[in-house]
Amino acid sequence: MIMSEFWYYRESKEPEAKKFMENKPEPDYDLSYSIGERDFVNTGKASSEIKLALKRLGVDNTILRRVAIAVYEAEINVTAHSRGGNIIANIYDNCVHVVFKDNGPGMKDINQSMEPGFSTADEMIREMGFGAGLGLPNIKKNADVLHIESQEGANTFLELVIFYE
Amino acid sequence: MNNQKEYFHAIKIVKENCTGCTKCVRVCITEALRVRNGKVELLNDRCIDCGKCVQVCPFNAIQTSADKLSTISKFKYKIAILSSSFAGQFSQKINYRAAKKAILQIGFDEIAEESMVTEVISSFIHDYVKRHPKIRPIISSKCPAIVRLIQVRFPSLLPNVIHLEAPMSALAYYFREKVRKEKKIAPENIGIFLIVPCAAQVTATHQPEGTYKNLGDGAISAQDIFREVMGKLQKKEETEKECDVFPKGLTWAISQLEAEQINSEQRERARTMAVSGIHNANKVLIKIENQQLETFDYIVMDNCTNGCVGGIFNIEDPFVASSRIKDMIRKGATKEFQTEYFQNLYHDGKMDVLELKPRPITALDSSIKNAINKMKQIDEIIKKLPGLDCSACGSPTCRALAEDIVAGKASIDDCIVLMRRNRQGKKL
């Protein structure tokens, strides 16, 4: 079975981001959600609530926007492409670390999925306005760290970090 | 963290009338009302003047304050600018032109209508939308309650709000200059009054937020003008003065028609949408924040049902008024209003407005560390509260009570459900 992995660090944030990823300290606050397979009615709830929590902390608007987009895209991915899964948002006083774990079926080739326009979405998902193949590239654009691990036939793990400054 | 700025509000609380029933507390989208010691209090930095509390109060304890008609006497030359929704207030038996003419008999020297310029301003909006392809969707700014909702709850969307003058502001600008030139009257002697359908427009006239430069001298409630006009019409007093009507441009009274006008057949296609009602607008703004509506070019958003026809100062209900206005638009002759002046204003950048600034209310503390601690304390309190969101404590929800407790503005003893449980040994 082939496992594939993808790492991205935003250049300007690389030193502190790497330090964070190595230590992964205990979060100051956390939120968790479970996502049902193709549960489009509730999709967006996790990203809205995570965004609201950061609003309550007084996190800057431009950062909020990036968190909203990245987390929402990843949430949609779990809803549309997997057998469901869960989301954990670890909140710190300088950054937010969001982890997505699904129950499969896994991705064949992550690097191919990172290319804008590539999509495995079926007709139903496209009709709902999703599956344009911009999800992962959009997450990367908004995140300071993006790490994905996947195995075809198994599951996908995605984590992202966004710093407040 | 609270904003120190004093906000003007066209909503006033009359404490003597308040019974502490909390109906208003539950309906407020920005959680700007609390009942403390049996009386309602308005949190000034949170209120967006949407007026939902005024509509829901059974005891007339929350009232609006528009400018009185008598204030126009301070000016030598008086101009009324009518909101398009005003045309929907009169039954079929009353000719709109006659009703408009009667306004000249109650003390105004000249009358203008929003409908004169809605078409030309729609063309500017269309142009603005095409010139800003990276911002999607662009959100309308005509409704002051929506602008304020975005400032307090969705500050990240302020760049999406169209930064252009609304029709009534543009008309105020035009008439002040025209009268100064043609009648040789000093600008300070010219009184320009907006005849408005809602409290938010009164607030916008007295404390404009970027989008509305202070162009009007006052805002009079459509209800007051309606009453005066009906008085004149019943007396059958005729005036020799004449006035034109512009029925084709009445579109902006109704959110849906305003959106359709931007995407009219004469223009390159623009994908538009209309949302009305403050709670609906709030839901759509959450979607916009999540970038779920980027495929839309322009979204018209209004506080009231169906748009300005739903304003709380109107006499007629929004559905009847909408039907009448649609009829007037369909049957009405096209009356051209010269738009060259406005074209020049637009191209000279004079229709641009100041940058809208956030008025955030959501942050719990000015330091993120402290805010995290408060969030934990709030969670602990929420676990103890019954979760009924009954508002009997005077805060809108259990969460809001928890926030108020952590902010030192309320106590857990305010929860009467808990109090009863404690007395009954947790049997409830």
Side-chain angles (χ1 to χ4, degrees):
Chain A
M1 217 133 0
I2 316 155
M3 200 185 87
S4 76
E5 195 173 8
F6 175 89
W7 275 101
Y8 162 77
Y9 282 98
R10 185 181 300 279
E11 218 180 296
S12 59
K13 293 278 189 292
E14 204 170 332
E16 60 180 314
K18 281 207 161 132
K19 207 173 137 199
F20 174 85
M21 293 304 281
E22 278 161 23
N23 296 327
K24 288 230 182 114
E26 276 293 305
D28 294 320
Y29 191 89
D30 63 271
L31 294 163
S32 63
Y33 304 90
S34 67
I35 301 176
E37 181 176 358
R38 299 207 168 188
D39 181 5
F40 289 101
V41 175
N42 289 306
T43 195
K45 187 172 172 256
S47 49
S48 284
E49 287 187 11
I50 293 166
K51 184 182 66 188
L52 184 60
L54 296 181
K55 254 189 198 179
R56 290 194 166 113
L57 298 187
V59 172
D60 185 73
N61 288 328
T62 46
I63 305 291
L64 278 180
R65 215 176 159 125
R66 282 171 49 203
V67 174
I69 296 160
V71 176
Y72 179 71
E73 288 288 359
E75 193 181 353
I76 285 288
N77 281 346
V78 178
T79 310
H81 301 292
S82 82
R83 300 185 194 112
N86 62 65
I87 304 179
I88 296 168
N90 297 312
I91 295 173
Y92 300 85
D93 63 6
N94 67 331
C95 71
V96 60
H97 171 228
V98 194
V99 183
F100 302 79
K101 280 182 198 158
D102 70 23
N103 307 322
M107 282 190 273
K108 209 182 245 170
D109 181 353
I110 299 176
N111 286 308
Q112 194 178 22
S113 301
M114 289 309 296
E115 279 175 29
F118 177 83
S119 176
T120 58
D122 62 26
E123 204 52 40
M124 173 205 159
I125 302 222
R126 283 174 199 258
E127 267 175 21
M128 295 184 76
F130 305 114
L134 297 169
L136 288 179
N138 220 358
I139 297 170
K140 185 181 151 197
K141 206 168 84 189
N142 288 290
D144 293 321
V145 178
L146 175 60
H147 172 216
I148 310 168
E149 266 180 39
S150 191
Q151 202 170 337
E152 200 189 1
N155 59 353
T156 301
F157 168 92
L158 183 152
E159 62 182 331
L160 60 91
V161 179
I162 296 175
F163 287 91
Y164 307 151
E165 267 173 39
Chain B
M1 192 62 194
N2 278 352
N3 213 319
Q4 293 303 305
K5 192 177 161 190
E6 269 303 308
Y7 290 111
F8 172 95
H9 290 298
I11 285 166
K12 301 277 177 283
I13 287 169
V14 184
K15 286 217 159 151
E16 309 88 86
N17 293 356
C18 179
T19 64
C21 78
T22 72
K23 273 201 165 70
C24 57
V25 171
R26 274 172 277 162
V27 81
C28 180
I29 188 87
T30 58
E31 302 188 333
L33 293 157
R34 297 289 186 278
V35 169
R36 296 281 177 252
N37 303 315
K39 298 285 176 189
V40 71
E41 289 172 7
L42 182 72
L43 307 177
N44 271 305
D45 53 340
R46 289 182 161 257
C47 175
I48 58 168
D49 292 88
C50 76
K52 290 291 162 289
C53 53
V54 179
Q55 282 176 310
V56 84
C57 179
F59 308 105
N60 204 20
I62 309 179
Q63 299 177 2
T64 53
S65 58
D67 293 298
K68 296 279 166 280
L69 182 58
S70 57
T71 56
I72 71 169
S73 61
K74 286 192 282 190
F75 297 89
K76 197 174 154 203
Y77 195 85
K78 304 137 188 120
I79 302 165
I81 302 178
L82 298 178
S83 155
S84 299
S85 57
F86 192 68
Q89 306 310 307
F90 300 92
S91 70
Q92 255 67 16
K93 286 180 213 149
I94 296 165
N95 177 288
Y96 179 52
R97 190 188 297 267
K100 214 180 145 184
K101 253 163 65 173
I103 297 175
L104 292 170
Q105 291 168 274
I106 62 172
F108 286 99
D109 300 292
E110 194 158 348
I111 319 172
E113 274 191 86
E114 183 186 32
S115 60
M116 293 161 126
V117 292
T118 50
E119 172 52 30
V120 69
I121 293 198
S122 297
S123 73
F124 301 157
I125 291 173
H126 186 272
D127 181 66
Y128 181 105
V129 168
K130 294 290 165 194
R131 281 193 295 112
H132 295 83
K134 291 208 169 130
I135 308 175
R136 286 295 178 271
I138 290 174
I139 305 166
S140 68
S141 66
K142 176 203 60 173
C143 174
I146 294 291
V147 170
R148 283 158 182 75
L149 177 67
I150 295 171
Q151 286 178 298
V152 302
R153 284 193 82 154
F154 303 94
S156 74
L157 295 179
L158 285 170
N160 293 59
V161 177
I162 192 162
H163 279 57
L164 270 189
E165 287 291 3
M168 288 175 55
S169 311
L171 279 168
Y173 195 97
Y174 167 76
F175 276 98
R176 201 177 297 278
E177 237 186 80
K178 180 177 169 257
V179 172
R180 182 180 61 82
K181 276 190 196 148
E182 290 177 6
K183 311 234 183 246
K184 307 268 181 272
I185 298 173
E188 63 271 21
N189 291 329
I190 304 167
I192 297 182
F193 291 85
L194 312 185
I195 311 307
V196 298
C198 65
Q201 291 283 7
V202 176
T203 302
T205 307
H206 290 280
Q207 194 176 61
E209 286 282 359
T211 302
Y212 299 88
K213 293 176 199 159
N214 203 0
L215 296 170
D217 296 297
I220 302 171
S221 140
Q223 223 167 59
D224 286 355
I225 299 295
F226 180 84
R227 199 179 301 124
E228 296 290 329
V229 164
M230 290 309 277
K232 292 288 173 199
L233 290 175
Q234 277 158 5
K235 282 185 196 155
K236 297 203 166 33
E237 287 171 24
E238 274 294 320
T239 171
E240 287 179 9
K241 291 179 191 166
E242 271 309 319
C243 76
D244 285 319
V245 288
F246 300 86
K248 285 281 179 228
L250 290 171
T251 42
W252 283 40
I254 302 165
S255 319
Q256 193 65 48
L257 297 189
E258 184 183 333
E260 282 168 18
Q261 192 168 14
I262 309 297
N263 183 29
S264 86
E265 285 161 14
Q266 298 132 42
R267 288 186 262 276
E268 193 191 323
R269 173 146 166 73
R271 203 164 169 219
T272 63
M273 173 166 105
V275 187
S276 69
I278 197 79
H279 290 271
N280 295 330
N282 190 65
K283 279 185 210 158
V284 171
L285 286 165
I286 291 172
K287 286 193 171 181
I288 298 175
E289 221 177 25
N290 286 348
Q291 283 206 344
Q292 283 167 268
L293 298 175
E294 276 187 309
T295 53
F296 286 89
D297 295 311
Y298 189 68
I299 299 185
V300 172
M301 241 182 233
D302 288 316
N303 173 31
C304 301
T305 307
N306 274 15
C308 291
V309 283
I312 55 171
F313 291 162
N314 288 329
I315 305 286
E316 195 50 90
D317 85 74
F319 308 104
V320 174
S322 294
S323 166
R324 282 182 192 156
I325 288 175
K326 280 183 184 170
D327 228 38
M328 290 169 80
I329 294 170
R330 199 174 303 121
K331 289 179 191 156
T334 314
K335 170 78 195 169
E336 287 295 332
F337 178 69
Q338 56 109 351
T339 56
E340 200 189 314
Y341 176 87
F342 296 94
Q343 301 279 2
N344 292 337
L345 269 191
Y346 179 70
H347 292 295
D348 294 347
K350 285 182 180 154
M351 292 284 288
D352 296 344
V353 295
L354 303 171
E355 192 191 328
L356 286 163
K357 295 273 190 287
R359 277 166 59 166
I361 51 165
T362 320
L364 299 169
D365 200 284
S366 53
S367 122
I368 292 183
K369 265 196 166 62
N370 291 345
I372 290 176
N373 282 332
K374 285 185 180 174
M375 215 149 78
K376 287 180 185 166
Q377 289 170 34
I378 290 166
D379 285 356
E380 285 308 308
I381 296 170
I382 287 174
K383 279 183 205 155
K384 291 182 199 155
L385 294 173
L388 301 175
D389 292 342
C390 67
S391 313
C393 61
S395 298
T397 59
C398 291
R399 163 170 278 280
L401 175 62
E403 286 179 12
D404 289 346
I405 294 169
V406 169
K409 293 174 185 163
S411 143
I412 195 144
D413 299 331
D414 290 327
C415 176
I416 60 170
V417 178
L418 269 193
M419 200 165 74
R420 188 165 166 199
R421 273 184 198 173
N422 290 340
R423 197 185 294 162
Q424 295 185 334
K426 297 192 177 181
K427 264 189 206 158
L428 197 82

